[in-house]
Amino acid sequence: MGAQKSVHAGRAKIDFNVDFTHRLCAAMMVHSFRNSGTGSPLSLIVGSLCIKHPNLFGKSEKLDVLWDKGLSDSNILIAYRKPRPEWLAQHSFVIQHSVSPEVGIHGVPVDNFSRTQSGGVNLCRFSAGLDLDEPGSSNWSSKTSIKFEHVRPVNDDGHSISRDLHGFPVTCSGSCDDNMVVLKQESRFAKANDHSFTRFSLQIEQGIPLMSKWLIFNRFKFAASKGVKVGPGFLLASLTGGSIVGDIAPYQAFAIGGLGSVRGYGDGAVGSGRSCLVANAELTFPMNHMLDGALFCDCGTDLGSSRYVPGNPGLRHGKPGNGVGVGYGVRVKFPMGHFQVDYALNDYQQRTIYFGFSNVAS
């Protein structure tokens, strides 16, 4: 539920999107991370603003400005692109600022690990750098970026902090912020036909210590998925994982659990470690022309690496480190988008319902 509007101002295009659906579902299903009753009415709005200019200085330079606002998070991204020949890497200068609750690592699992409450730690991130989109083949594509990142943990009142509610450090430096220069390489493979598809991505990040107290680390993450048509239904299986070595702040750990990871658990309620492995399988089948049914099974593990995260937030919050979620759901197709409902059961017999809505691009 909400409103969408596009406005053309000269050659620039402005897209407005205000959505109240997320607020409605959150009010029914979970407790807010913060007491929204003390905030302004604007805090109840979930929406986005997108401004695009296709020819900023008259030479086909593109400027994109995107602002997203959630219930307790916000993100501003500015991207400037200068055209280059197709056989050369495309350059984009990107500036980004975001504020979001860090519940995956510092959140406290409740209700038999089915929900995660705020642990009083939020992350304020600023980054600026260069993205290079390299020319790809028919199935492969790659992207390289180098960015400066400044991470400042804050409490629920917006004040900078260096320790969590239990007195453990929330940064790698021990101060109220971390700085790093990150070189990232990402490669993607995609292949599809009428009966199946295959996707694979590999992401490698390297922290470069330009200053003595800046973080130096190596982190990799992979995601592989395979979809196959099975009779009238469709079977989707995926495997994701990763690991990090070197300097690490708690917020850099892998959070396992939640929607998109292991359903039936709250965000990060399965575990938070230096390594992770998550497997998902879902079978969807048509029930009529507008309705699809789904059966799914998710499982994840921190591979015993939670004790290597500074402050060991996983152990302190009693996270099991391994978890399985099973359930079923429905997918309803509307002209304006797809509505999804999932009913999940975790290892502790706790039931959770997830709602989702995705717009169909016009």
Side-chain angles (χ1 to χ4, degrees), residues 26-355:
M28 293 189 300
M29 297 304 303
V30 299
H31 300 287
S32 299
F33 296 128
R34 301 175 184 172
N35 183 8
S36 59
T38 61
S40 68
L42 292 178
S43 65
L44 306 182
I45 297 176
V46 175
S48 63
L49 170 66
C50 181
I51 302 174
K52 295 178 177 288
H53 199 297
N55 193 17
L56 187 62
F57 299 117
K59 295 183 179 180
S60 299
E61 302 94 340
K62 295 178 174 60
L63 177 68
D64 296 339
V65 180
L66 175 64
W67 174 62
D68 286 316
K69 181 188 177 302
L71 293 176
S72 53
D73 62 312
S74 65
N75 180 61
I76 299 175
L77 186 144
I78 303 173
Y80 170 76
R81 300 174 179 85
K82 188 174 182 180
R84 305 187 71 198
E86 293 183 358
W87 61 86
L88 297 177
Q90 302 300 307
H91 293 180
S92 300
F93 181 72
V94 180
I95 299 176
Q96 187 171 9
H97 181 271
S98 65
V99 179
S100 61
E102 181 45 271
V103 295
I105 306 300
H106 296 284
V108 181
V110 296
D111 291 345
N112 288 328
F113 301 93
S114 65
R115 292 192 300 112
T116 306
Q117 290 183 341
S118 172
V121 179
N122 306 272
L123 293 183
C124 180
R125 294 176 179 264
F126 171 82
S127 65
L130 190 66
D131 287 344
L132 304 176
D133 288 307
E134 302 174 12
S137 65
S138 58
N139 296 324
W140 284 95
S141 63
S142 61
K143 180 179 180 179
T144 304
S145 66
I146 183 166
K147 294 181 181 179
F148 166 78
E149 294 187 12
H150 175 82
V151 182
R152 181 171 62 93
V154 298
N155 59 19
D156 289 341
D157 296 323
H159 301 301
S160 297
I161 57 174
S162 61
R163 295 182 178 273
D164 62 17
L165 298 177
H166 303 280
F168 290 88
V170 293
T171 61
C172 181
S173 65
S175 64
C176 292
D177 55 52
D178 283 331
N179 295 303
M180 63 197 89
V181 170
V182 180
L183 176 64
K184 181 167 70 173
Q185 171 69 38
E186 183 174 3
S187 299
R188 293 179 177 272
F189 172 84
K191 185 177 181 181
N193 56 42
D194 294 338
H195 304 284
S196 66
F197 73 83
T198 303
R199 294 174 185 165
F200 177 79
S201 67
L202 177 64
Q203 186 180 101
I204 300 176
E205 298 180 29
Q206 177 66 56
I208 303 175
L210 297 184
M211 303 290 287
S212 60
K213 292 187 177 181
W214 289 15
L215 275 64
I216 176 172
F217 61 89
N218 183 273
R219 172 182 175 139
F220 82 91
K221 183 178 180 180
F222 72 89
S225 60
K226 178 72 174 181
V228 180
K229 190 173 182 180
V230 181
F234 195 81
L235 177 63
L236 173 63
S238 63
L239 181 68
T240 61
S243 187
I244 181 171
V245 296
D247 297 336
I248 177 176
Y251 56 79
Q252 291 179 297
F254 294 93
I256 309 159
L259 189 63
S261 179
V262 181
R263 283 165 286 190
Y265 288 83
D267 292 339
V270 172
S272 48
R274 277 184 177 258
S275 302
C276 76
L277 196 63
V278 176
N280 311 93
E282 180 171 301
L283 175 66
T284 57
F285 47 90
M287 302 176 70
N288 57 46
H289 69 284
M290 288 186 58
L291 186 66
D292 288 347
L295 300 173
F296 61 83
C297 178
D298 305 330
C299 57
T301 175
D302 63 14
L303 299 173
S305 64
S306 64
R307 63 183 181 274
Y308 301 116
V309 177
N312 200 347
L315 177 64
R316 287 190 287 116
H317 297 315
K319 299 179 181 180
N322 303 278
V324 177
V326 297
Y328 56 88
V330 294
R331 317 286 186 255
V332 186
K333 305 172 186 176
F334 295 107
M336 71 292 293
H338 294 169
F339 181 68
Q340 173 177 328
V341 181
D342 285 336
Y343 177 91
L345 182 70
N346 67 16
D347 288 311
Y348 302 90
Q349 307 304 309
Q350 186 67 40
R351 300 166 177 82
T352 307
I353 298 177
Y354 299 93
F355 296 97

